[in-house]
Amino acid sequence: MKRIKINRKKCIGCLTCVTACTVAHGSRDTRGRIVIDSEGKYAPIYCRHCTRPECVYACPTGAMRRDDESGYVIYDKSRCASCFMCIMACPYGVLKMDYQTNREVMKCDMCLSTESEYPQCVAKCPMGALTLEEVYK
């Protein structure tokens, strides 16, 4: 399974990754996509696509599911009841409410809906701080 890795030494906090994600998903809301790290720099946050995803276990409607083939945790907004149990269950705090709709969850989908080989944040990072790497469990 591939995951997005951040090299904090290369990251300059420019937020190009956040902009690329926002544009790729046709959103205007960036509030759930960044945090301020321990050094006071802005940094992107990503779903870790957990092997045992608490968000999936907490979701009463099946809107959150783990794809066995890719290993990614997928969000189906058409099945979402807007209860936000997934947000409360995520131990990493990476799931956020989409303040643009107040009904949906913002979650990294690895840009599976785009025709790009890489997630847009990785493809557009000017410093090469974001990479897509194979992880083995």
Side-chain angles (χ1 to χ4, degrees), residues 38-113:
S38 61
E39 297 174 9
K41 293 192 313 185
Y42 288 105
I45 56 174
Y46 297 100
C47 177
R48 298 185 185 196
H49 300 284
C50 304
T51 303
R52 299 184 64 179
E54 294 296 325
C55 61
V56 171
Y57 302 137
C59 181
T61 64
M64 288 285 181
R65 68 175 178 80
R66 186 169 187 276
D67 182 70
D68 292 330
E69 187 175 320
S70 69
Y72 298 142
V73 175
I74 308 297
Y75 169 63
D76 180 353
K77 65 182 173 185
S78 70
R79 297 185 72 173
C80 184
S82 303
C83 68
F84 304 119
M85 292 298 294
C86 57
I87 292 172
M88 291 183 272
C90 177
Y92 301 105
V94 298
L95 301 180
K96 305 292 182 196
M97 179 178 73
D98 184 345
Y99 290 98
Q100 188 175 338
T101 66
N102 290 327
R103 295 184 15 229
E104 297 170 6
V105 175
M106 287 194 311
K107 186 197 160 310
C108 174
D109 64 0
M110 301 295 281
C111 290
L112 296 174
S113 60

Side-chain angles (χ1 to χ4, degrees), residues 6 8 11 13 15 17-18 33-35 42-46 121 130:
I6 304 169
R8 298 277 184 199
C11 179
L15 303 181
C17 55
V18 173
R33 294 182 169 94
I34 56 173
V35 294
Y42 288 105
I45 56 174
Y46 297 100
C121 57
L130 301 177

